[in-house]
Amino acid sequence: MSENRVEQVELLSSDNDSYGGVVVKIEQPVDPKIFPSLLRASISQWRQQGKKGVWIKLPIEHANLVEATVKEGFRYHHAEPDYLMLVLVVQEISGKFKGTGVWKFPTGVVNEGEDFCTAAIREVKEETGIDTEFVEVLAFRQSHKSFFSKSDLLFICMLKPRNFDIEKQNLEIEAAKWMPIEDYSAQPFNQKQELFNYVAKICLSKSQKNYTGFSPLATTTGSGKVSYLYFNNQDNNHLVTSDNQPLKV
């Protein structure tokens, strides 16, 4: 290569998603010998662009690229009969709320095999440094054909703090603070977005003791497996245990 010539590195074709990341759909045949270098160069470019996550959709006819993809740090997300989804998360502060000034609840994704009541405690700890204990499920929303055409459950949970000194996670959280529920509810974003408006109203009602959610009750099967039953505990005098004692949670 001459001194005046600049080498052009080919990148994988991608589309931006709604969460600050990119989605790569491998549709044309790719030489598995050159795919690793294409992927590495593309990841480097996406990092420079501040992309939060990279999703690669590999149709079954391109299964020969799975090994190279996994070696670059990707992990299985979900599979369908005709394709496999892999995911890599990069550590950037981004997303649709970046730069908007909107204050939102800590959120996160439940790990495989993890109860969502445990996940809520973990995510709050990771993002804010606050230790909590689970209290109630205030509400939940179910949607279908959302992210990657999958069904999704969003749980709005109430936790009780065990400490109040915030130690935010610098990799994901720009700022964290305690805010009166009235101020949270009054944000223009919450007033304009129907889902967030309902959630804010539920939280306000809970703060005024006019609302009762669903509390978790640990149950054990004959094999010793523990699961949780969530129920309204407002009037537990009508519920009794097997030894005819009032049910408390």
Side-chain angles (χ1 to χ4, degrees):
M1 183 176 66
S2 66
E3 295 181 356
N4 296 327
R5 181 182 175 185
V6 178
E7 182 180 6
Q8 297 294 322
V9 179
E10 184 180 359
L11 302 177
L12 294 172
S13 177
S14 65
D15 297 315
N16 294 325
D17 64 19
S18 301
Y19 302 91
V22 295
V23 178
V24 179
K25 298 179 181 179
I26 305 297
E27 298 175 341
Q28 301 299 323
V30 180
D31 187 340
K33 295 181 179 179
I34 67 171
F35 180 73
S37 61
L38 291 177
L39 182 56
R40 284 192 293 270
S42 300
I43 291 174
S44 177
Q45 179 70 22
W46 293 323
R47 288 185 189 277
Q48 294 178 20
Q49 295 172 352
K51 299 301 180 182
K52 185 176 181 180
V54 179
W55 302 81
I56 297 184
K57 182 176 180 179
L58 287 174
I60 195 168
E61 59 267 25
H62 302 310
N64 60 336
L65 303 179
V66 171
E67 181 179 0
T69 306
V70 171
K71 286 183 177 179
E72 292 302 319
F74 286 78
R75 293 295 179 264
Y76 298 124
H77 181 264
H78 68 267
E80 295 290 348
D82 59 346
Y83 75 86
L84 178 70
M85 185 68 73
L86 308 174
V87 60
L88 171 71
V89 177
V90 296
Q91 299 176 335
E92 300 285 350
I93 299 178
S94 59
K96 69 176 184 179
F97 291 108
K98 179 182 179 181
T100 64
V102 172
W103 292 91
K104 58 183 287 291
F105 294 138
T107 56
V109 178
V110 178
N111 294 327
E112 182 178 357
E114 182 182 39
D115 294 299
F116 69 81
C117 56
T118 303
I121 293 172
R122 173 181 55 78
E123 286 288 346
V124 170
K125 175 66 173 179
E126 289 177 358
E127 294 187 3
T128 68
I130 301 295
D131 292 308
T132 62
E133 59 183 80
F134 192 88
V135 179
E136 290 180 347
V137 177
L138 297 181
F140 70 92
R141 180 227 62 197
Q142 183 180 27
S143 65
H144 302 289
K145 294 186 177 180
S146 51
F147 200 37
F148 294 111
S149 299
K150 295 299 173 182
S151 297
D152 177 69
L153 286 170
L154 170 67
F155 292 91
I156 310 302
C157 303
M158 179 180 177
L159 308 180
K160 180 180 179 180
R162 292 179 174 175
N163 65 292
F164 295 90
D165 295 328
I166 296 172
E167 295 180 9
K168 73 180 183 69
Q169 183 190 66
N170 293 325
L171 293 176
E172 295 182 13
I173 306 302
E174 182 176 352
K177 70 176 182 179
W178 293 101
M179 174 182 287
I181 186 62
E182 293 79 8
D183 293 349
Y184 169 81
S185 178
Q187 293 181 103
F189 180 85
N190 287 336
Q191 298 296 317
K192 295 177 181 178
Q193 299 294 323
E194 187 177 37
L195 173 63
F196 286 82
N197 191 18
Y198 277 126
V199 170
K201 288 179 178 178
I202 290 172
C203 293
L204 277 172
S205 183
K206 180 64 180 179
S207 70
Q208 297 164 0
K209 299 183 179 181
N210 296 323
Y211 185 92
T212 302
F214 291 86
S215 302
L217 174 68
T219 62
T220 306
T221 64
S223 62
K225 181 180 179 180
V226 176
S227 62
Y228 289 92
L229 172 69
Y230 294 84
F231 71 103
N232 187 301
N233 194 38
Q234 186 173 12
D235 186 5
N236 58 27
N237 290 326
H238 293 150
L239 298 174
V240 296
T241 62
S242 58
D243 57 357
N244 205 37
Q245 296 296 316
L247 180 61
K248 300 287 186 178
V249 295

